[in-house]
Structures are given as C-alpha cells and as structure tokens.
Amino acid sequence: MSISKQFLKSKPECKVTFEWEAKEAESVAVAGDFNNWETTQLPLKKLKNGKFKGSINLPIKNSFEFRYVVDNSWVNDDNADNYVWNDFAGDKNGVLEL
C-alpha cells in the first residue's frame, strides 16, 4: 500500500500513483470524489508481483476523499494524508492533500 505524488512542472497538476498489495484479489480500483465515486473509472493493473498499480493526474491545491475497492469491498489506505468521517458509508475516507 503506497501513494506517490509527482508534481508536474508544465501544468498545475500532480500525478498520483496508487499501489495496493493484494495477491489473492481479482480486482482493485480507486474511487473518490475526483471521479464521482465510480468504481470502474480507475481500475488498477495487477502486476506479476501481486501488487495492483495505477495513476491519475489531479489538480493541485486541492484535497480529495478516496477509498480502494478490493473485490467489491471498500478499504482505506494506511498511507492517506488524512481521514474524514463519511456518514453515508458509516466509516472514514482517506484524504489526498495536493
């Protein structure tokens, strides 16, 4: 589980790379307020080492709530910048600070 950020020099964006280790999982995706919580818009690619990885460019000077969807179960990343309570889910969401 990791999140890496690469701030782009050419535009006010940050390339955020999500990595999730789940050797037994069939699918992992990232859903958040940056993609209207759609569970199919940011699927992570399964690598040979069992990790899932994917990237998205997001505008800087923003914060975004997100969670992973691992085989249809919602989970948080321990490496999120922060966490906020979500009444709808009855759980916390991870937060990205850019």
Side-chain angles (χ1 to χ4, degrees):
M1 296 171 281
S2 73
I3 301 169
S4 61
K5 301 173 188 175
Q6 179 183 7
F7 291 89
L8 305 180
K9 293 180 181 178
S10 60
K11 47 188 162 181
E13 292 183 349
C14 179
K15 179 180 179 181
V16 180
T17 301
F18 299 94
E19 193 171 319
W20 187 266
E21 188 167 342
K23 293 178 182 176
E24 304 301 319
E26 295 288 323
S27 66
V28 177
V30 181
D33 50 16
F34 49 81
N35 64 4
N36 294 317
W37 295 96
E38 290 292 332
T39 60
T40 59
Q41 286 190 354
L42 186 54
L44 303 185
K45 182 180 178 183
K46 189 168 189 175
L47 307 176
K48 290 181 181 181
N49 62 6
K51 293 181 180 180
F52 288 79
K53 190 173 185 178
S55 300
I56 186 172
N57 286 6
L58 296 171
I60 61 171
K61 298 183 181 175
N62 286 288
S63 62
F64 299 96
E65 293 182 34
F66 76 101
R67 295 185 87 186
Y68 293 96
V69 183
V70 181
D71 290 342
N72 297 315
S73 295
W74 294 84
V75 293
N76 274 319
D77 192 318
D78 294 338
N79 295 309
D81 296 323
N82 202 353
Y83 301 92
V84 295
W85 183 257
N86 178 324
D87 284 332
F88 178 76
D91 200 355
K92 293 180 181 178
N93 289 337
V95 176
L96 281 172
E97 302 283 351
L98 302 178

